[in-house]
Amino acid sequence: MLPTPAPVRASNPRLAELLARMTLEGYGTLRAQSIRLGIPAGALRNYIAGFPLPDDVARDIEWMMELPDGWLDGPAAAESPVGDRTQGMMAPA
């Protein structure tokens, strides 16, 4: 049986949303998520803990995940006026 990951409480709501979606897609560990996002696991742990997400790192994550530029800077889909959780996110390749 696979361990259940702890809920993500990132200070960036879009990062938390992205990580939750990645967990559902099979990237359930911090290591797997950091590899897929192209950033060190320690850095991802810090961003989840509330460290500010630098603009250049955000743009790199968006590029790796095929998201529009600035997507990580917006409100979480649950907080957006439309409320569409898939808006701005592309299906995995």
mmCIF file of all heavy atoms in Angstrom, residues 55-80:
data_model
loop_
_atom_site.group_PDB
_atom_site.id
_atom_site.type_symbol
_atom_site.label_atom_id
_atom_site.label_comp_id
_atom_site.label_asym_id
_atom_site.label_seq_id
_atom_site.Cartn_x
_atom_site.Cartn_y
_atom_site.Cartn_z
ATOM 1 N N ASP A 55 10.174 34.701 -9.478
ATOM 2 C CA ASP A 55 9.562 34.776 -10.802
ATOM 3 C C ASP A 55 10.232 33.838 -11.801
ATOM 4 O O ASP A 55 9.542 33.172 -12.575
ATOM 5 C CB ASP A 55 9.606 36.205 -11.344
ATOM 6 C CG ASP A 55 8.629 37.127 -10.642
ATOM 7 O OD1 ASP A 55 7.667 36.626 -10.023
ATOM 8 O OD2 ASP A 55 8.822 38.354 -10.715
ATOM 9 N N ASP A 56 11.564 33.778 -11.795
ATOM 10 C CA ASP A 56 12.241 32.922 -12.772
ATOM 11 C C ASP A 56 11.938 31.444 -12.532
ATOM 12 O O ASP A 56 11.775 30.673 -13.478
ATOM 13 C CB ASP A 56 13.747 33.183 -12.796
ATOM 14 C CG ASP A 56 14.438 32.936 -11.462
ATOM 15 O OD1 ASP A 56 13.791 33.055 -10.405
ATOM 16 O OD2 ASP A 56 15.646 32.636 -11.474
ATOM 17 N N VAL A 57 11.806 31.046 -11.279
ATOM 18 C CA VAL A 57 11.453 29.660 -10.960
ATOM 19 C C VAL A 57 10.011 29.384 -11.382
ATOM 20 O O VAL A 57 9.711 28.331 -11.955
ATOM 21 C CB VAL A 57 11.661 29.364 -9.454
ATOM 22 C CG1 VAL A 57 11.173 27.963 -9.099
ATOM 23 C CG2 VAL A 57 13.122 29.539 -9.077
ATOM 24 N N ALA A 58 9.116 30.333 -11.114
ATOM 25 C CA ALA A 58 7.717 30.172 -11.520
ATOM 26 C C ALA A 58 7.603 29.996 -13.026
ATOM 27 O O ALA A 58 6.865 29.137 -13.508
ATOM 28 C CB ALA A 58 6.884 31.365 -11.051
ATOM 29 N N ARG A 59 8.346 30.819 -13.787
ATOM 30 C CA ARG A 59 8.294 30.708 -15.258
ATOM 31 C C ARG A 59 8.848 29.370 -15.721
ATOM 32 O O ARG A 59 8.320 28.762 -16.655
ATOM 33 C CB ARG A 59 9.086 31.837 -15.931
ATOM 34 C CG ARG A 59 8.649 33.277 -15.645
ATOM 35 C CD ARG A 59 7.214 33.654 -15.976
ATOM 36 N NE ARG A 59 6.206 33.198 -15.052
ATOM 37 C CZ ARG A 59 5.819 33.825 -13.926
ATOM 38 N NH1 ARG A 59 6.374 34.949 -13.554
ATOM 39 N NH2 ARG A 59 4.857 33.310 -13.176
ATOM 40 N N ASP A 60 9.907 28.870 -15.051
ATOM 41 C CA ASP A 60 10.464 27.564 -15.409
ATOM 42 C C ASP A 60 9.467 26.442 -15.133
ATOM 43 O O ASP A 60 9.307 25.524 -15.938
ATOM 44 C CB ASP A 60 11.760 27.290 -14.649
ATOM 45 C CG ASP A 60 12.936 28.120 -15.136
ATOM 46 O OD1 ASP A 60 12.838 28.712 -16.240
ATOM 47 O OD2 ASP A 60 13.946 28.187 -14.408
ATOM 48 N N ILE A 61 8.774 26.520 -13.986
ATOM 49 C CA ILE A 61 7.761 25.509 -13.657
ATOM 50 C C ILE A 61 6.638 25.551 -14.685
ATOM 51 O O ILE A 61 6.181 24.516 -15.171
ATOM 52 C CB ILE A 61 7.221 25.723 -12.226
ATOM 53 C CG1 ILE A 61 8.293 25.382 -11.198
ATOM 54 C CG2 ILE A 61 5.951 24.900 -11.987
ATOM 55 C CD1 ILE A 61 7.930 25.749 -9.767
ATOM 56 N N GLU A 62 6.188 26.749 -15.020
ATOM 57 C CA GLU A 62 5.116 26.891 -16.013
ATOM 58 C C GLU A 62 5.546 26.297 -17.351
ATOM 59 O O GLU A 62 4.766 25.613 -18.019
ATOM 60 C CB GLU A 62 4.731 28.359 -16.175
ATOM 61 C CG GLU A 62 4.034 28.916 -14.963
ATOM 62 C CD GLU A 62 4.013 30.429 -14.901
ATOM 63 O OE1 GLU A 62 4.711 31.093 -15.709
ATOM 64 O OE2 GLU A 62 3.304 30.960 -14.031
ATOM 65 N N TRP A 63 6.781 26.525 -17.728
ATOM 66 C CA TRP A 63 7.282 25.983 -18.992
ATOM 67 C C TRP A 63 7.322 24.462 -18.935
ATOM 68 O O TRP A 63 6.870 23.796 -19.870
ATOM 69 C CB TRP A 63 8.677 26.554 -19.276
ATOM 70 C CG TRP A 63 9.216 26.089 -20.592
ATOM 71 C CD1 TRP A 63 8.943 26.606 -21.816
ATOM 72 C CD2 TRP A 63 10.119 25.000 -20.802
ATOM 73 N NE1 TRP A 63 9.619 25.905 -22.776
ATOM 74 C CE2 TRP A 63 10.354 24.905 -22.185
ATOM 75 C CE3 TRP A 63 10.751 24.091 -19.948
ATOM 76 C CZ2 TRP A 63 11.188 23.943 -22.735
ATOM 77 C CZ3 TRP A 63 11.586 23.134 -20.506
ATOM 78 C CH2 TRP A 63 11.797 23.072 -21.879
ATOM 79 N N MET A 64 7.845 23.898 -17.834
ATOM 80 C CA MET A 64 7.933 22.440 -17.692
ATOM 81 C C MET A 64 6.561 21.785 -17.720
ATOM 82 O O MET A 64 6.398 20.695 -18.252
ATOM 83 C CB MET A 64 8.640 22.067 -16.379
ATOM 84 C CG MET A 64 10.116 22.328 -16.357
ATOM 85 S SD MET A 64 11.060 21.283 -17.456
ATOM 86 C CE MET A 64 10.895 19.700 -16.664
ATOM 87 N N MET A 65 5.563 22.457 -17.145
ATOM 88 C CA MET A 65 4.220 21.876 -17.042
ATOM 89 C C MET A 65 3.302 22.337 -18.185
ATOM 90 O O MET A 65 2.115 22.037 -18.172
ATOM 91 C CB MET A 65 3.607 22.237 -15.687
ATOM 92 C CG MET A 65 4.384 21.683 -14.502
ATOM 93 S SD MET A 65 4.619 19.892 -14.536
ATOM 94 C CE MET A 65 2.931 19.352 -14.322
ATOM 95 N N GLU A 66 3.867 23.066 -19.145
ATOM 96 C CA GLU A 66 3.119 23.560 -20.302
ATOM 97 C C GLU A 66 1.922 24.415 -19.878
ATOM 98 O O GLU A 66 0.811 24.281 -20.400
ATOM 99 C CB GLU A 66 2.681 22.406 -21.202
ATOM 100 C CG GLU A 66 3.839 21.608 -21.753
ATOM 101 C CD GLU A 66 3.411 20.456 -22.633
ATOM 102 O OE1 GLU A 66 2.230 20.376 -22.997
ATOM 103 O OE2 GLU A 66 4.275 19.628 -22.951
ATOM 104 N N LEU A 67 2.178 25.304 -18.933
ATOM 105 C CA LEU A 67 1.170 26.234 -18.450
ATOM 106 C C LEU A 67 1.455 27.611 -19.036
ATOM 107 O O LEU A 67 2.601 27.924 -19.366
ATOM 108 C CB LEU A 67 1.208 26.319 -16.918
ATOM 109 C CG LEU A 67 0.867 25.028 -16.184
ATOM 110 C CD1 LEU A 67 1.257 25.135 -14.721
ATOM 111 C CD2 LEU A 67 -0.607 24.717 -16.330
ATOM 112 N N PRO A 68 0.442 28.466 -19.151
ATOM 113 C CA PRO A 68 0.683 29.814 -19.672
ATOM 114 C C PRO A 68 1.574 30.633 -18.734
ATOM 115 O O PRO A 68 1.542 30.445 -17.515
ATOM 116 C CB PRO A 68 -0.721 30.437 -19.737
ATOM 117 C CG PRO A 68 -1.690 29.367 -19.425
ATOM 118 C CD PRO A 68 -0.961 28.209 -18.851
ATOM 119 N N ASP A 69 2.369 31.528 -19.329
ATOM 120 C CA ASP A 69 3.202 32.419 -18.515
ATOM 121 C C ASP A 69 2.325 33.189 -17.533
ATOM 122 O O ASP A 69 1.284 33.731 -17.902
ATOM 123 C CB ASP A 69 3.945 33.426 -19.394
ATOM 124 C CG ASP A 69 5.184 32.837 -20.038
ATOM 125 O OD1 ASP A 69 5.577 31.718 -19.656
ATOM 126 O OD2 ASP A 69 5.755 33.494 -20.927
ATOM 127 N N GLY A 70 2.741 33.212 -16.289
ATOM 128 C CA GLY A 70 2.008 33.943 -15.262
ATOM 129 C C GLY A 70 0.931 33.124 -14.571
ATOM 130 O O GLY A 70 0.290 33.616 -13.646
ATOM 131 N N TRP A 71 0.720 31.873 -14.975
ATOM 132 C CA TRP A 71 -0.336 31.055 -14.377
ATOM 133 C C TRP A 71 -0.142 30.908 -12.868
ATOM 134 O O TRP A 71 -1.100 31.013 -12.107
ATOM 135 C CB TRP A 71 -0.383 29.669 -15.040
ATOM 136 C CG TRP A 71 -1.522 28.835 -14.575
ATOM 137 C CD1 TRP A 71 -2.794 28.834 -15.062
ATOM 138 C CD2 TRP A 71 -1.504 27.869 -13.510
ATOM 139 N NE1 TRP A 71 -3.561 27.932 -14.371
ATOM 140 C CE2 TRP A 71 -2.799 27.328 -13.411
ATOM 141 C CE3 TRP A 71 -0.522 27.412 -12.644
ATOM 142 C CZ2 TRP A 71 -3.128 26.348 -12.481
ATOM 143 C CZ3 TRP A 71 -0.855 26.438 -11.713
ATOM 144 C CH2 TRP A 71 -2.153 25.918 -11.635
ATOM 145 N N LEU A 72 1.084 30.699 -12.437
ATOM 146 C CA LEU A 72 1.345 30.526 -11.001
ATOM 147 C C LEU A 72 1.120 31.811 -10.211
ATOM 148 O O LEU A 72 0.990 31.769 -8.992
ATOM 149 C CB LEU A 72 2.774 30.025 -10.768
ATOM 150 C CG LEU A 72 2.976 28.532 -10.994
ATOM 151 C CD1 LEU A 72 4.459 28.201 -11.042
ATOM 152 C CD2 LEU A 72 2.286 27.727 -9.912
ATOM 153 N N ASP A 73 1.052 32.944 -10.888
ATOM 154 C CA ASP A 73 0.857 34.218 -10.203
ATOM 155 C C ASP A 73 -0.614 34.515 -9.935
ATOM 156 O O ASP A 73 -0.930 35.397 -9.147
ATOM 157 C CB ASP A 73 1.437 35.368 -11.041
ATOM 158 C CG ASP A 73 2.918 35.178 -11.297
ATOM 159 O OD1 ASP A 73 3.604 34.588 -10.437
ATOM 160 O OD2 ASP A 73 3.385 35.613 -12.364
ATOM 161 N N GLY A 74 -1.511 33.785 -10.588
ATOM 162 C CA GLY A 74 -2.945 34.046 -10.454
ATOM 163 C C GLY A 74 -3.542 33.358 -9.245
ATOM 164 O O GLY A 74 -2.886 32.576 -8.558
ATOM 165 N N PRO A 75 -4.817 33.648 -8.991
ATOM 166 C CA PRO A 75 -5.507 32.983 -7.877
ATOM 167 C C PRO A 75 -5.766 31.525 -8.223
ATOM 168 O O PRO A 75 -5.789 31.151 -9.390
ATOM 169 C CB PRO A 75 -6.819 33.759 -7.754
ATOM 170 C CG PRO A 75 -7.058 34.292 -9.129
ATOM 171 C CD PRO A 75 -5.690 34.564 -9.714
ATOM 172 N N ALA A 76 -5.950 30.713 -7.214
ATOM 173 C CA ALA A 76 -6.297 29.307 -7.446
ATOM 174 C C ALA A 76 -7.622 29.246 -8.176
ATOM 175 O O ALA A 76 -8.454 30.144 -8.056
ATOM 176 C CB ALA A 76 -6.377 28.560 -6.116
ATOM 177 N N ALA A 77 -7.837 28.193 -8.938
ATOM 178 C CA ALA A 77 -9.061 28.067 -9.714
ATOM 179 C C ALA A 77 -10.295 28.129 -8.812
ATOM 180 O O ALA A 77 -11.320 28.679 -9.194
ATOM 181 C CB ALA A 77 -9.058 26.763 -10.505
ATOM 182 N N ALA A 78 -10.186 27.588 -7.606
ATOM 183 C CA ALA A 78 -11.317 27.619 -6.679
ATOM 184 C C ALA A 78 -11.649 29.044 -6.258
ATOM 185 O O ALA A 78 -12.766 29.339 -5.864
ATOM 186 C CB ALA A 78 -11.015 26.773 -5.447
ATOM 187 N N GLU A 79 -10.652 29.953 -6.349
ATOM 188 C CA GLU A 79 -10.858 31.339 -5.953
ATOM 189 C C GLU A 79 -11.190 32.242 -7.127
ATOM 190 O O GLU A 79 -11.540 33.391 -6.949
ATOM 191 C CB GLU A 79 -9.587 31.875 -5.275
ATOM 192 C CG GLU A 79 -9.219 31.138 -4.010
ATOM 193 C CD GLU A 79 -7.862 31.565 -3.484
ATOM 194 O OE1 GLU A 79 -7.300 32.545 -3.983
ATOM 195 O OE2 GLU A 79 -7.370 30.909 -2.562
ATOM 196 N N SER A 80 -11.034 31.721 -8.356
ATOM 197 C CA SER A 80 -11.290 32.550 -9.528
ATOM 198 C C SER A 80 -12.790 32.720 -9.725
ATOM 199 O O SER A 80 -13.582 31.887 -9.292
ATOM 200 C CB SER A 80 -10.663 31.929 -10.774
ATOM 201 O OG SER A 80 -11.332 30.748 -11.122
#
